[in-house]
Amino acid sequence: MTTLYRCITEDDTSRFCHRVSEALAKGWSLHGGPTMAFDPEKRVMRLGQSVTKEIEADYHPDMALGQQ
């Protein structure tokens, strides 16, 4: 078994929620709570959420984690 990790980031819009919801629907699990920070260049709040997933394959750096 291999544990995959990814961090989803997005501006504070419904798109962030949809991306996290899509990951959960694909079998990913929340890893900790969300984070929020102000992006002074774009003048928007940015959100982040870490997710993990167990797979029965070996990890390889070329894996497209969002496709798993």
Side-chain angles (χ1 to χ4, degrees), residues 28-65:
W28 291 81
S29 298
L30 298 177
H31 182 75
T35 187
M36 180 182 280
F38 184 69
D39 181 339
E41 288 186 23
K42 292 176 72 177
R43 301 189 53 78
V44 298
M45 293 303 291
R46 298 274 300 166
L47 301 173
Q49 175 64 61
S50 297
V51 292
T52 60
K53 184 177 185 179
E54 297 286 331
I55 63 168
E56 292 192 30
D58 291 332
Y59 170 76
H60 191 275
D62 294 334
M63 294 176 108
L65 298 177

Side-chain angles (χ1 to χ4, degrees), residues 5-23 30 33-39 42 44-51 66:
Y5 170 90
R6 62 188 273 230
C7 184
I8 300 168
T9 61
E10 187 71 48
D11 290 350
D12 185 10
T13 66
S14 63
R15 178 164 160 71
F16 173 78
C17 296
H18 286 289
R19 290 183 65 202
V20 173
S21 295
E22 179 182 34
L30 298 177
T35 187
M36 180 182 280
F38 184 69
D39 181 339
K42 292 176 72 177
V44 298
M45 293 303 291
R46 298 274 300 166
L47 301 173
Q49 175 64 61
S50 297
V51 292

